[in-house]
Amino acid sequence: MRLLFACLGLLLVLSAPQARAEPLAKQYFGAKTEASKQPPAPYGSYSRGCVAGAVQLPETGPTWQAMRLSRNRNWGHPEVIDYVQNLSAFAATLPGWQGLYVGDISQPRGGPMLSGHRSHQIGLDVDIWMLPAKRLDLSRQARESLSSISLRKAKGAYVNANWSPQHHALLRAAAKDPRVARIFVFPGAKVQMCKDEKGDRRWLRKIRPWYGHHYHFHVRLKCPRGARGCENQDRPPRGDGCADAQKWVNDILNPPPPKPRDPNAPPPKKRRDYVLSDLPRQCASVLRSQ
């Protein structure tokens, strides 16, 4: 009996490293270069999921260009591809804009990325550059080297001289689409829009202040109707959100004192990378699909 327990203990010790060595989900999804041959469907949440049957945004269209093509992140649910095309057509009507430069959407099958975003996993997020698209004939090399412009001043408390009425109009059009759940942008931009908007203010509710997001704004669509495996984010709080954005700005200009740290408190847990078993069960079939 003692020998049996000893053997079992040895087996557990030997198997533990194998469990810890389970490949990370981002390695599986980052290796896929094409979408799955399945009906379009987002599974899971924006930061823990995948997308079946994704569609690739064409690298160049009549009113857009996809940027950073080497990342192969110009894939998304058909709803987000249609959204980008519609918004870019509106952008082309703005003075000084020929359309949009489009940043990351998702990988071909969504899922965690090898680098960068925690979200963008179910094909319903897209980054839109703040740089006005003045030409739509950029080469692949130019799309790797060209940079967007920053619109922030004072660490995001204010907009800078690059901000324009066209940015306001573009964000307003982006938010008014009923498919949009929320749009992330730096706090100073939200406060500026709150000051400048003289008409219908309901769309401002969807514009949410967030860290960064001064070189691009991040659009997040709602789960499409009938997508049962998709998890919506909670709706934004009621109201236009302008007071909340002003608080962000106030905290940037006059940071509150740091809270005293409990010396006996355990160290914060490091956010771990997901393995495949952390994702919705459908994601395994998304990976297996040809």
Side-chain angles (χ1 to χ4, degrees), residues 159-217:
V159 297
N160 63 24
N162 290 326
W163 177 261
S164 68
Q166 290 90 321
H167 287 100
H168 182 108
L170 179 62
L171 281 155
R172 178 172 55 206
K176 281 192 169 185
D177 190 304
R179 294 173 290 185
V180 171
R182 57 184 65 207
I183 295 175
F184 302 104
V185 72
F186 68 99
K190 170 71 183 264
V191 170
Q192 188 65 49
M193 285 185 280
C194 289
K195 293 176 179 177
D196 294 343
E197 181 57 48
K198 305 303 181 185
D200 178 16
R201 301 176 66 84
R202 287 176 294 180
W203 60 275
L204 285 166
R205 178 185 183 189
K206 296 181 183 179
I207 307 290
R208 310 308 301 174
W210 199 245
Y211 307 99
H213 294 89
H214 52 105
Y215 285 98
H216 69 268
F217 61 93

Side-chain angles (χ1 to χ4, degrees), residues 223-244:
C223 292
R225 183 176 299 178
R228 296 183 179 180
C230 182
E231 300 174 20
N232 271 311
Q233 189 173 359
D234 290 341
R235 297 184 68 184
R238 291 185 178 276
D240 59 19
C242 292
D244 181 49

Side-chain angles (χ1 to χ4, degrees), residues 111-167:
M113 294 186 178
L114 289 170
S115 62
H117 313 282
R118 294 289 300 186
S119 60
H120 290 256
Q121 294 194 25
I122 57 175
L124 295 174
D125 294 286
V126 56
D127 290 340
I128 306 295
W129 280 26
M130 296 294 195
L131 177 67
K134 295 186 180 296
R135 49 180 293 195
L136 298 174
D137 59 351
L138 298 174
S139 66
R140 291 182 66 92
Q141 182 178 357
R143 295 188 229 191
E144 297 294 332
S145 58
L146 181 67
S147 295
S148 187
I149 56 172
S150 173
L151 301 186
R152 76 174 184 178
K153 183 172 68 174
K155 299 182 179 180
Y158 306 106
V159 297
N160 63 24
N162 290 326
W163 177 261
S164 68
Q166 290 90 321
H167 287 100

